[in-house]
Amino acid sequence: MTSRRLLVFVLPLLFAPVVLWAAGAPYPGHPKTVRAIVAADVLARDRALADDRFEGRGPGTKNGEAAAQWIADEMKRMGFKPGNHGSYFQEVPSVSITLDASKSSFAFNTPQGAVAPNFPESAVYWTPQYSSNDVEVKASPLVFVGYGVVAPEYHWDDYAGIDVKGKTVVILVNDPGNEDAQPDPAFFKGKAMTYYGRWTYKYEEAARHGAAAAIIVHETVPAAYGWQVVRNSNTGNKLWLTADDRNASMVPIQGWITLDTAQDLFRRAGLDYAALKAAANKPGFKAVAMTGETLDVHAHSDFALLNTRNVVGVIPGTKHPDEYILYTGHWDHLGIKPDVAGPDKIYNGAIDNGMGSSSVLEIGEKFAKGKPHARSIAIINWTLEEQGLLGSQYFAEHPIWPLNHIVGGVNLDGGLPHGHARDMVLIGSGASELEDMLAKVLKTQNRVISPDPEPEKGGFYRSDHISLSRVGVPMLDPAGASDLVIGGKDAAKRIRDDYRINHYHQPSDEFDPKWDISGVIDDLQALYLLGDQLANSNAWPNWYRDNEFRAIRDKSMAQR
């Protein structure tokens, strides 16, 4: 989940959710729920999914996969049909790669001597390759490649005129121009992050140029999260989709370093970090060799094939059962991290994404127990979101149903508790005709759609909806609110920042029975009505004509 949601700890509920906890049971029991979309049902499911007994819902672990089974059992209890040819599961072939830091090393050689930044407090690194337990990079020259972007549409190429094969590229986070006081909206979309700003893209581009290692410099403001998020997300095991080449096409060593570490390296090479960063934000930037500096890495990793699953339930349509409206969210989180400081080692992910999973189940229950619909409703809980949106990526590459039979969908990632609001934030707003329908529904609640208040954080590229979008399926990505009825915009921002700084991807993301989720319920009721309208119509909402995904969708629909 991306750090973009609202968190409000305001009013206790007037009644507590009723949950059937079986004494001594290995996993939480299933709640008694009602057909209507209500806070008690959502909180009961969230409480269960964030329970310590699921141990942070780590994909491929015994207790993590038990959470996926819990969701499938909940789907069955509520009347969903198995969504994948008689099964509630879509297997996602994956591999777990775990760096053994005690048998690994990571050091920069500089004219003033070696620098071995502390792992994981000053640097994190790993290998995505798994043909061998040991991957080495020796005496690899460092090259600063600015933002590491090749963007023909912006006439931009940070790799122009330099050969980085076998070298280590040092890369800035985010997009060129993104941190300008007044960003040019025509230059890499101005303040709004593009896909070029994502860390996944930067590693992909480095691989295309044959780099031996790709190291990203972390800065809190452009990254939109602190170092603790980088550290917590990139230690322990990392998960990948299996590949025939065992990821040999990927950069052998990937990693991050802190800003302090980067500034020290630049100083040792006789370079001014701030000056080069400023240059990297202007057209005509040329990559700069960090003369005299090289990287030595020995990465010893254990790896194992992993069994993990997407969870898929369907409420079949009565007239057009082969046409689907999707409600999705990811069930996984970060599991247990024994090396994390403090007594709590479990990353329960009550908000990220226990709340999202609970919410799509709640919407699905109303469809399952309500009146029949012409089209089918599919409820999908993805795996491996926290490891790079891999569960949704696998579905997009191996769809259960033809992509041109999917009408569109809604992805819920977080759904942070907040009170009633005047708006609904839509990440990536201005993209598809689904928004026109949603705006009409929100009008019945005296609410409006608001654009992402923090587009520089790149939320549009940080959740599972993007996997479907990239293959043409219109998707919405609601993200709470930016204007609360009580407290307005200032309160919304203050609470959003509190979650990002103090709870996002940390053990403190715990369930709290005192949450006020009245605003979440408003959202779910609106999103249900949107699906209800789509499910009883012949409409096929498309991307707007100037959208990057429109041509993909048009080509797909032409083949129906």
Side-chain angles (χ1 to χ4, degrees), residues 5-270:
R5 314 301 191 190
L6 289 172
L7 182 60
V8 180
F9 303 95
V10 186
L11 301 175
L13 294 176
L14 298 179
F15 55 94
V18 178
V19 183
L20 299 180
W21 267 196
Y27 300 111
H30 291 268
K32 291 182 178 179
T33 56
V34 298
R35 170 186 166 183
I37 294 175
V38 296
D41 289 3
V42 175
L43 289 171
R45 294 190 183 96
D46 194 7
R47 178 185 176 189
L49 289 170
D51 190 276
D52 278 358
R53 284 172 285 183
F54 287 134
E55 295 186 340
R57 303 190 304 279
T61 66
K62 175 184 176 183
N63 292 324
E65 293 300 320
Q69 183 64 59
W70 190 95
I71 291 170
D73 292 343
E74 185 72 350
M75 288 180 172
K76 182 177 181 179
R77 181 187 72 82
M78 292 187 295
F80 300 5
K81 301 298 182 184
N84 186 19
H85 308 290
S87 174
Y88 286 103
F89 299 110
Q90 181 188 34
E91 301 294 330
V92 180
S94 313
V95 60
S96 171
I97 306 176
T98 305
L99 180 80
D100 185 338
S102 68
K103 298 179 181 178
S104 302
S105 60
F106 181 94
F108 297 101
N109 304 300
T110 80
Q112 287 80 34
V115 175
N118 176 268
F119 176 92
E121 298 306 323
S122 298
V124 291
Y125 64 98
W126 61 89
T127 179
Q129 299 183 357
Y130 59 101
S131 59
S132 170
N133 294 102
D134 296 280
V135 173
E136 288 192 329
V137 169
K138 290 186 176 181
S140 174
L142 269 59
V143 180
F144 174 60
V145 294
Y147 289 89
V149 170
V150 178
E153 67 273 32
Y154 296 113
H155 308 289
W156 195 275
D157 186 352
D158 284 327
Y159 288 91
I162 192 164
D163 183 359
V164 299
K165 290 180 181 177
K167 298 178 181 178
T168 295
V169 291
V170 179
I171 311 170
L172 298 172
V173 71
N174 217 316
D175 292 319
N178 185 271
E179 295 180 77
D180 291 351
Q182 293 182 319
D184 180 355
F187 180 59
F188 285 91
K189 294 189 178 179
K191 187 178 180 181
M193 184 193 289
T194 72
Y195 184 63
Y196 295 120
R198 291 286 289 136
W199 54 266
T200 49
Y201 164 79
K202 295 176 189 294
Y203 295 136
E204 291 165 1
E205 194 61 58
R208 283 190 280 270
H209 286 82
I215 308 299
I216 298 174
V217 178
H218 173 265
E219 292 191 57
T220 297
V221 172
Y225 40 75
W227 178 258
Q228 78 278 1
V229 174
V230 177
R231 178 193 63 210
N232 296 345
S233 301
N234 295 294
T235 53
N237 66 315
K238 291 182 70 65
L239 308 180
W240 311 82
L241 296 181
T242 56
D244 290 341
D245 70 349
R246 296 182 172 240
N247 291 340
S249 60
M250 293 187 177
V251 176
I253 297 296
Q254 302 177 0
W256 293 72
I257 55 175
T258 62
L259 176 59
D260 287 345
T261 301
Q263 289 173 330
D264 181 44
L265 287 173
F266 277 68
R267 179 184 58 79
R268 288 167 176 259

Side-chain angles (χ1 to χ4, degrees), residues 60 100 127 265 362 393 434 471 486 515 522:
D100 185 338
T127 179
L265 287 173
E362 182 70 356
Q393 176 187 330
L434 283 174
V471 292
I486 299 176
W515 280 332
D522 291 343

Side-chain angles (χ1 to χ4, degrees), residues 208-474:
R208 283 190 280 270
H209 286 82
I215 308 299
I216 298 174
V217 178
H218 173 265
E219 292 191 57
T220 297
V221 172
Y225 40 75
W227 178 258
Q228 78 278 1
V229 174
V230 177
R231 178 193 63 210
N232 296 345
S233 301
N234 295 294
T235 53
N237 66 315
K238 291 182 70 65
L239 308 180
W240 311 82
L241 296 181
T242 56
D244 290 341
D245 70 349
R246 296 182 172 240
N247 291 340
S249 60
M250 293 187 177
V251 176
I253 297 296
Q254 302 177 0
W256 293 72
I257 55 175
T258 62
L259 176 59
D260 287 345
T261 301
Q263 289 173 330
D264 181 44
L265 287 173
F266 277 68
R267 179 184 58 79
R268 288 167 176 259
L271 301 171
D272 185 322
Y273 176 83
L276 282 175
K277 180 178 177 180
N281 279 275
K282 298 176 181 178
F285 168 77
K286 300 296 182 184
V288 176
M290 300 177 69
T291 305
E293 296 193 338
T294 62
L295 177 66
D296 287 339
V297 182
H298 176 86
H300 179 85
S301 304
D302 297 315
F303 54 86
L305 295 179
L306 193 76
N307 293 317
T308 189
R309 295 111 20 120
N310 292 327
V311 190
V312 187
V314 169
I315 301 100
T318 56
K319 294 183 179 179
H320 306 289
D322 62 342
E323 298 176 3
Y324 298 86
I325 292 96
L326 309 185
Y327 289 93
T328 73
H330 71 94
W331 65 259
D332 67 298
H333 198 52
L334 299 176
I336 294 178
K337 293 186 179 293
D339 296 334
V340 70
D344 190 356
K345 313 294 185 183
I346 301 176
Y347 288 70
N348 297 90
I351 299 303
D352 182 11
N353 187 35
M355 187 64 73
S357 291
S358 300
S359 294
V360 297
L361 288 170
E362 182 70 356
I363 290 173
E365 183 174 34
K366 184 163 184 176
F367 279 111
K369 294 182 178 180
K371 64 183 185 298
H373 289 80
R375 288 165 156 170
S376 295
I377 304 295
I379 308 297
I380 306 178
N381 273 254
W382 311 112
T383 187
L384 295 174
E385 190 272 354
E386 301 290 10
Q387 298 290 339
L389 320 180
L390 300 181
S392 56
Q393 176 187 330
Y394 185 82
F395 178 93
E397 295 173 354
H398 305 86
I400 295 173
W401 319 290
L403 295 173
N404 56 16
H405 284 233
I406 301 175
V407 179
V410 175
N411 184 66
L412 295 178
D413 190 355
L416 300 183
H418 63 85
H420 297 297
R422 299 182 179 93
D423 65 345
M424 177 189 290
V425 168
L426 202 59
I427 305 299
S429 60
S432 85
E433 294 164 354
L434 283 174
E435 297 172 38
D436 301 329
M437 299 182 66
L438 178 60
K440 292 179 181 178
V441 171
L442 288 175
K443 189 174 182 180
T444 67
Q445 297 180 332
N446 295 315
R447 301 169 67 201
V448 297
I449 292 174
S450 288
D452 185 355
E454 299 172 309
E456 69 277 8
K457 292 179 169 58
F460 188 65
Y461 302 99
R462 289 183 172 176
S463 195
D464 288 302
H465 66 279
I466 193 63
S467 297
L468 279 297
S469 300
R470 291 175 72 177
V471 292
V473 177

